[in-house]
């Protein structure tokens, strides 16, 4: 078997896959605090109309605009599907380990896939500026890049702890022309209130979302809000990953996958790889086992409750039904900043609740060790977020040391860790 798939342009799909019609139960509606359902129209205050349509659509396939496909091609899609044979050898496993490598995108992660689509639709509807939050800086840099390509101003509220600890991500966003503020900031009521309580407030993703939304609501219609995970339209845009992988597996002659693994913050990269495989019809043989990996310190899927909750700290978003640790939960500062979110996507929550996706949680040091083994065998230092998936893959592979069968494990390497090097400085 070849070690790497071909990367021709016909591998990039011309439609996204929407899992909504294939879920085992209906997606519960978004609600207002009084329990009434949120109307599409109301969401148009925050998002452009086309993205609101995608948020609610029940169509299985949604066409990708030609300009979005062209832009994704220019930026590096299709991403490679690679066999991790040296890792297999180091683990002495009989399992075949394959990964989709999203770190080749210019800002180093899968987030570019939805950033390009969101910037395209905002620009097409005449929006001047988008505001967003960022934790570790991956989402902020992806949207800053996409904004610069489509002539859209970008304002980023960056969790203060990361703003101080990760100057390179801030510089990258500013290089693309974005404005970046540490959150809590003095630009919103929410930010000012929190700074008055604690001038050294470290911030959180939930707080930064509240600030970005407040910034949009008070912009007089000039700005829209943009979110990097959790919502249906974001997960939809990420399905290019799994749709490409299906074609690439076929080209490599792999006719069956036994495990599909990904890390989960809000669920977008996991959904991006796995949903097209969940929607795929398995005429003969069993579907793969789907494994979603989260940090032990942010255990929304393994220990959270399935209930309605806000997406942000201040309670400005509609209520979403999801696995949540509570919107006021402030996760401890772990290196995998992109996984520090109190909830997960509603569609993923349904799949977990119905046993179709199996969640697992790992501790930080074992995860970073796994990332280092991957770097030393395959040459790519994973983002600390992605190392969660690597850790789970290693555990599965070790179980298949002596097995006569050759199970195939496919995982998403959601990003590289070259702007997160301090995470690895203690363990190496
Ligand atoms: C943001 C991020 C994640 C987590 O977000 P999801 O929406 O769950 O994918 C994972 N990996 C990387 C590299 C990220 O930047």
């Amino acid at each position: 078997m070849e070690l790497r798939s071909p990367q021709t342009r016909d591998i990039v799909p011309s439609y996204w896959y929407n899992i909504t019609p294939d879920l085992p139960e209906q997606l519960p509606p978004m609600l207002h605090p009084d329990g009434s359902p949120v109307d599409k129209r109301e969401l148009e205050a925050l998002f452009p109309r086309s993205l609101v349509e995608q948020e609610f659509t029940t169509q299985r396939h949604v066409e990708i605009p030609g300009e979005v496909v062209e832009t994704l091609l220019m930026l590096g899609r299709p991403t490679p599907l690679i066999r991790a044979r040296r890792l297999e050898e180091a683990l002495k496993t009989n399992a075949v380990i394959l990964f989709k490598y999203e770190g080749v995108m210019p800002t180093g992660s899968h987030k570019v896939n939805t950033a390009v689509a969101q910037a395209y639709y905002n620009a097409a509807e005449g929006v001047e500026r988008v505001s967003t939050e960022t934790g570790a800086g991956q989402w902020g840099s992806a949207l800053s890049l996409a904004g610069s390509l489509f002539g859209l101003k970008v304002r980023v509220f960056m969790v203060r702890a990361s703003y101080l600890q990760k100057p390179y991500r801030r510089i990258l966003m500013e290089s693309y022309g974005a404005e970046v503020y540490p959150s809590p900031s003095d630009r919103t009521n929410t930010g000012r209130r929190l700074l008055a309580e604690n001038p050294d407030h470290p911030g959180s993703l939930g707080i930064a979302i509240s600030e970005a939304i407040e910034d949009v609501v008070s912009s007089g219609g000039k700005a829209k809000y943009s979110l990097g995970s959790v919502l249906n339209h974001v997960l939809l845009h990420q399905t290019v990953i799994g749709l490409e992988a299906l074609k690439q597996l076929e080209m490599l002659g792999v006719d069956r996958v036994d495990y599909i693994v990904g890390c989960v913050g809000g669920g977008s990269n996991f959904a991006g790889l796995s949903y097209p495989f969940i929607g795929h019809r398995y005429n003969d043989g069993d579907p793969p086992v789907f494994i979603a990996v989260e940090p032990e310190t942010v255990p929304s899927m393994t220990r959270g409750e399935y209930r309605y909750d806000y997406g942000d700290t201040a309670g400005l978003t509609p209520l979403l039904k999801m696995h949540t640790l509570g919107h006021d939960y402030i996760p401890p500062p772990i290196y995998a900043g992109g996984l520090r979110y109190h909830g997960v996507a509603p569609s993923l929550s349904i799949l977990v609740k119905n046993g179709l996706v199996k969640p697992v949680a790992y501790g930080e040091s074992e995860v970073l060790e796994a990332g280092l083994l991957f770097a030393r065998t395959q040459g790519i230092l994973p983002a600390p977020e992605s190392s969660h998936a690597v850790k789970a893959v290693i555990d599965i592979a070790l179980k298949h040391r002596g097995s006569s069968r050759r199970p195939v494990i496919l995982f998403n390497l959601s990003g590289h860790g070259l702007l997160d090097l301090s995470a690895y400085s203690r363990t190496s």
Side-chain angles (χ1 to χ4, degrees):
M1 180 186 160
E2 298 279 333
L3 288 181
R4 194 181 169 114
S5 65
Q7 278 169 264
T8 50
R9 75 173 281 152
D10 56 302
I11 293 168
V12 177
S14 52
Y15 63 89
W16 291 298
Y17 166 68
N18 173 29
I19 199 167
T20 310
D22 294 330
L23 287 171
E25 50 186 271
Q26 232 184 335
L27 268 177
M30 286 184 194
L31 298 182
H32 288 295
D34 68 2
S36 61
V38 172
D39 187 71
K40 271 188 194 177
R41 283 266 118 96
E42 298 172 278
L43 275 190
E44 288 172 14
L46 288 182
F47 302 103
R49 185 166 298 170
S50 36
L51 291 176
V52 173
E53 281 304 320
Q54 291 181 359
E55 188 59 26
F56 287 90
T57 187
T58 52
Q59 266 179 23
R60 189 169 280 117
H61 301 295
V62 177
E63 194 177 339
I64 309 178
E67 199 178 340
V68 171
V69 174
E70 286 303 316
T71 309
L72 292 175
L73 278 163
M74 172 185 96
L75 296 176
R77 303 212 72 83
T79 59
L81 186 102
I82 302 171
R83 178 165 177 194
R85 194 147 78 201
R86 287 172 184 249
L87 177 64
E88 291 168 17
E89 281 163 13
L91 297 172
K92 300 187 171 60
T93 178
N94 272 354
V96 172
I97 303 176
L98 302 169
F99 63 99
K100 188 76 170 144
Y101 184 41
E102 291 296 304
V104 296
M105 299 304 277
T107 55
S109 83
H110 69 287
K111 296 242 169 50
V112 177
N113 301 329
T114 184
V116 165
Q118 292 191 41
Y120 166 84
Y121 288 115
N122 273 285
E125 292 186 30
V127 174
E128 278 177 32
R129 172 166 70 79
V130 286
S131 271
T132 197
E133 69 292 328
T134 197
Q138 289 273 20
W139 168 239
S141 13
L143 191 65
S144 302
L145 152 69
S148 72
L149 296 179
F150 289 96
L152 197 63
K153 289 188 195 139
V154 178
R155 183 174 288 173
V156 184
F157 292 88
M158 183 175 192
V159 174
R160 178 179 293 266
S162 308
Y163 184 91
L164 298 174
Q165 282 162 15
K166 298 194 163 190
Y168 291 134
R169 280 281 168 198
R170 172 181 56 78
I171 296 167
L172 183 57
M173 290 184 262
E174 289 172 349
S175 304
Y176 288 119
E179 286 172 43
V180 187
Y181 301 105
S183 164
S185 76
D186 59 5
R187 303 192 64 93
T188 66
N189 290 328
T190 305
R192 285 187 289 269
R193 182 166 52 72
L194 292 165
L195 283 179
E197 285 166 17
N198 176 5
D200 298 318
H201 201 299
S204 75
L205 215 43
I207 293 168
I209 296 176
S210 299
E211 287 207 278
I213 292 179
E214 194 184 317
D215 181 57
V216 167
V217 172
S218 60
S219 73
K222 288 202 184 116
K224 296 279 184 201
Y225 173 61
S226 183
L227 188 66
S229 187
V230 180
L231 294 177
N232 299 331
H233 67 268
V234 181
L235 274 54
L236 176 78
H237 300 156
Q238 292 296 353
T239 58
V240 291
I241 304 172
L243 292 165
E244 287 177 4
L246 277 164
K247 283 196 199 157
Q248 289 171 317
L249 288 170
E250 201 183 308
M251 294 169 112
L252 290 177
V254 179
D255 55 7
R256 152 196 90 148
V257 176
D258 299 275
Y259 298 91
I260 292 193
V261 183
C263 66
V264 172
S268 74
N269 88 85
F270 177 81
L273 178 65
S274 68
Y275 283 9
F277 286 83
I278 294 177
H280 192 71
R281 302 276 160 253
Y282 295 91
N283 297 326
D284 41 312
D286 293 328
V289 175
F290 295 95
I291 297 177
V293 194
E294 65 184 7
E296 273 172 357
T297 49
V298 199
S300 31
M301 293 177 295
T302 51
R303 305 186 52 189
E305 283 179 69
Y306 181 60
R307 63 174 169 87
Y308 272 103
D309 196 9
Y310 294 106
D312 69 319
T313 304
L316 301 178
T317 68
L319 289 160
L320 300 173
K321 195 155 188 193
M322 60 183 176
H323 284 88
T324 176
L325 297 163
H327 65 279
D328 49 4
Y329 178 73
I330 307 272
I334 52 170
Y335 285 110
L339 306 186
R340 287 183 72 224
Y341 184 65
H342 64 273
V344 291
S347 57
L348 178 55
S349 293
I350 288 179
L351 294 166
V352 168
K353 180 163 88 72
N354 284 268
L356 292 167
V357 169
K358 197 173 152 258
V360 292
Y362 285 108
E364 184 162 59
S365 59
E366 57 187 342
V367 159
L368 296 176
E369 282 300 335
L372 288 176
L373 176 63
F374 193 81
R376 288 169 190 167
T377 49
Q378 293 298 137
I380 300 167
L381 185 68
E385 291 85 357
S386 319
S387 289
H388 285 74
V390 175
K391 171 62 184 161
V393 167
I394 290 175
D395 275 9
I396 298 164
L398 288 177
K399 280 196 206 127
H400 291 283
R401 262 196 160 153
S403 74
S404 50
R405 238 166 42 84
R406 304 215 71 187
V408 176
I409 309 170
L410 171 64
F411 78 99
N412 201 24
L413 191 59
S414 53
H416 68 64
L418 294 181
L419 289 178
D420 302 277
L421 289 176
S422 57
Y424 293 99
S425 71
R426 294 188 181 168
T427 31
S428 50

